[in-house]
Amino acid sequence: MTTSRDPGAAAPPEPDAVWPLSGATEPGPPVGVPAVVAVADLRATNAAAVLAAVRSADPYPRLSELAAATSLSRPTVEAIAEELTDRGLIVVAPAVSARGRRSPGRPARRFRFRSHAGFVVGVDVRPRSVTACLADLDGEPVAVERRAVRADLTGPARARAVTSLIRSAMDSAEVDVSRVWAATVGTPGLVDRNNTRVRQSDNLRTWTEVDIVGILRDHLGCPVAVENDANLAALGEQWRGVGRAGTGGAGAAPRRPAPDPATGEMVFVLLGERLGAGVITGGRLLRGHHGAAGEIGFIHFPGTTGSDGPGLPPLPATTIREAAMTVGGKEPDPTSGGPVPGMAPSDAVAAVQSYGRRLAEGLAPVLLALDPALVVLGTGLFPDAALLPAAETLLTAAQHHADGLLVDSPRWRLSALGDDAVLTGAVRFALSSVEVVLRTRPTSLPAARETSFHKTHTKLR
């Protein structure tokens, strides 16, 4: 197993993986060459069409409805449905009458997508923690494992922590490695355009010397990508955060929510030990020529001197706690300590407001250039719900100050995902690769066999 690489050598792009959310495009026929469709390709395309019809139908469709939706003959649809069932991608749904009772006789079969046919892995790597999430094909978490690590951990040791947590998540869910179809690692720092290596990460010791993509590919045997944490947080927020609209009416089956149009032009600001930003424009992630778009941690913010260097150091936790107590009128979590020695409550609030204004002033040129509809502030500096009043104070100060610096003011919101924004985005990124296969050649995926876990989990759902 390869554990390191030449930091000056670019890792080759993964030949069989497509990561649509990174800006990659799906392969197509060469320009000027007539498309030739083989029988096997046609069958794969038809299988993808039937599977898509099953996934989008509400309620679960019958064979006749699938034939109408795909314009395929009923015998063809029936044969494909049998193949998709054999592969474990769809199952026959229980027949229920309009009154909620099982229908007598032999009612027409209905089919539903089996979200536990396969799984993806999302990982959030930070200086002091590693988190791994195993999620099903609907993006629903099945197992989440978190572990605190030392900030001075070496790259190889951090990689071992990542693989160990992934294995723990798989073991707790009783999922075999063959059932994991894609994985994405979120990390601080600069990532190359191919999503194969970390180019720079100042706060993770020797992390750039580790080929984490190669290690996990050997470990899992599936496509693996690495992506900047702020970029993934933006994708997560767009997918299941403030960009997530409501679902259907009362009694409706769960549906994929329509995105908020504002999240097509969005800047997500990741507040933590270091500043970062993920930019969504035209509904897609903006990564830049070198993959470094959104690296606002290199901006020299107002109020800093040359000796301070770029970026905006995080607010002290004690200041945040005191401001939250003052604004929210509640005592903080007893485990977080008492009042801040030598600091009046008004001073703490003023410090948070000043931070918000400095943040807005430094971001103003970026916002003028991008003209986003929405700015989302990550809440990594406010991990406890009791601290959210301080977060709201920071956001209000930033928004009011930005209003006087911009031509058109965007909406400002706090992250709805909190500490899980990066992990959610990592799952979304990994799913995008699997979705390409489900839309084009689903029967090429490994056959899924029922396990006791999946039977039990299906009943619980």
Side-chain angles (χ1 to χ4, degrees):
M1 178 184 296
T2 302
T3 58
S4 62
R5 58 167 182 81
D6 177 0
E14 185 154 357
D16 298 325
V18 176
W19 306 102
L21 298 183
S22 72
T25 56
E26 297 180 33
V31 176
V33 178
V36 177
V37 180
V39 173
D41 294 333
L42 180 60
R43 187 169 183 83
T45 300
N46 290 342
V50 171
L51 181 61
V54 171
R55 297 187 72 182
S56 61
D58 182 18
Y60 302 135
R62 298 187 295 262
L63 285 173
S64 59
E65 293 165 339
L66 292 175
T70 59
S71 299
L72 297 171
S73 69
R74 183 184 173 102
T76 298
V77 170
E78 188 167 15
I80 291 174
E82 292 296 337
E83 183 176 7
L84 292 174
T85 301
D86 290 342
R87 306 296 298 181
L89 290 169
I90 65 175
V91 294
V92 177
V96 179
S97 70
R99 294 183 179 180
R101 296 193 297 259
R102 290 190 178 275
S103 300
R106 297 184 59 187
R109 290 182 299 167
R110 293 182 178 271
F111 298 90
R112 67 170 176 83
F113 177 63
R114 184 165 169 254
S115 61
H116 289 160
F119 299 86
V120 298
V121 168
V123 181
D124 180 5
V125 174
R126 305 184 190 185
R128 292 176 173 81
S129 68
V130 176
T131 307
C133 174
L134 183 74
D136 67 16
L137 298 182
D138 283 337
E140 297 300 326
V142 172
V144 177
E145 297 287 337
R146 306 177 190 272
R147 181 178 302 171
V149 297
R150 299 197 319 272
D152 63 349
L153 209 63
T154 65
R158 197 174 298 273
R160 287 192 294 272
V162 170
T163 56
S164 174
L165 251 65
I166 292 174
R167 172 55 63 184
S168 294
M170 292 166 56
D171 288 346
S172 67
E174 300 180 17
V175 170
D176 185 79
V177 68
S178 65
R179 305 288 298 286
V180 177
W181 292 348
T184 296
V185 178
T187 177
L190 303 180
V191 175
D192 75 322
R193 283 182 56 84
N194 293 324
N195 296 105
T196 55
R197 68 184 182 96
V198 184
R199 295 195 295 122
Q200 180 179 336
S201 187
D202 295 339
N203 57 345
L204 297 181
R205 180 184 172 196
T206 68
W207 185 232
T208 58
E209 300 173 16
V210 173
D211 179 14
I212 188 61
V213 167
I215 291 172
L216 291 186
R217 191 186 299 139
D218 290 344
H219 185 72
L220 298 172
C222 68
V224 179
V226 62
E227 180 57 285
N228 170 264
D229 52 3
N231 286 347
L232 292 180
L235 292 174
E237 202 69 43
Q238 181 192 40
W239 183 39
R240 290 192 166 169
V242 293
R244 183 174 186 173
T247 57
R255 306 288 292 164
R256 294 183 182 182
D260 182 340
T263 59
E265 302 293 337
M266 179 181 77
V267 174
F268 184 101
V269 180
L270 188 66
L271 299 175
E273 291 190 19
R274 295 172 65 95
L275 275 180
V279 180
I280 304 288
T281 181
R284 299 178 64 84
L285 186 64
L286 176 66
R287 302 189 71 240
H289 180 69
H290 299 97
E295 287 294 335
I296 61 173
F298 289 91
I299 294 175
H300 285 270
F301 283 80
T304 58
T305 65
S307 59
D308 294 331
L312 196 58
L315 282 164
T318 51
T319 301
I320 293 173
R321 187 177 70 248
E322 189 70 36
M325 289 176 59
T326 303
V327 176
K330 295 180 180 179
E331 290 295 321
D333 187 319
T335 62
S336 62
V340 184
M343 174 175 286
S346 58
D347 292 339
V349 174
V352 171
Q353 292 172 332
S354 174
Y355 191 94
R357 290 191 294 269
R358 293 171 64 197
L359 178 67
E361 193 158 343
L363 285 178
V366 177
L367 302 182
L368 283 168
L370 295 173
D371 186 27
L374 181 67
V375 176
V376 181
L377 295 188
T379 54
L381 289 178
F382 313 92
D384 191 310
L387 301 178
L388 287 181
E392 292 165 355
T393 299
L394 191 157
L395 180 137
T396 300
Q399 180 171 10
H400 287 174
H401 191 65
D403 285 347
L405 302 174
L406 305 176
V407 177
D408 295 294
S409 299
R411 291 189 288 122
W412 291 65
R413 295 288 184 272
L414 292 178
S415 168
L417 299 177
D419 209 37
D420 290 331
V422 176
L423 199 65
T424 303
V427 168
R428 179 72 184 98
F429 199 93
L431 274 177
S432 73
S433 178
V434 177
E435 288 288 346
V436 171
V437 184
L438 292 175
R439 292 197 310 266
T440 56
R441 52 187 194 281
T443 52
S444 68
L445 292 165
R449 294 178 175 83
E450 285 282 354
T451 66
S452 58
F453 163 76
H454 295 110
K455 293 176 182 176
T456 301
H457 196 70
T458 301
K459 289 178 182 177
L460 292 175
R461 293 187 68 186

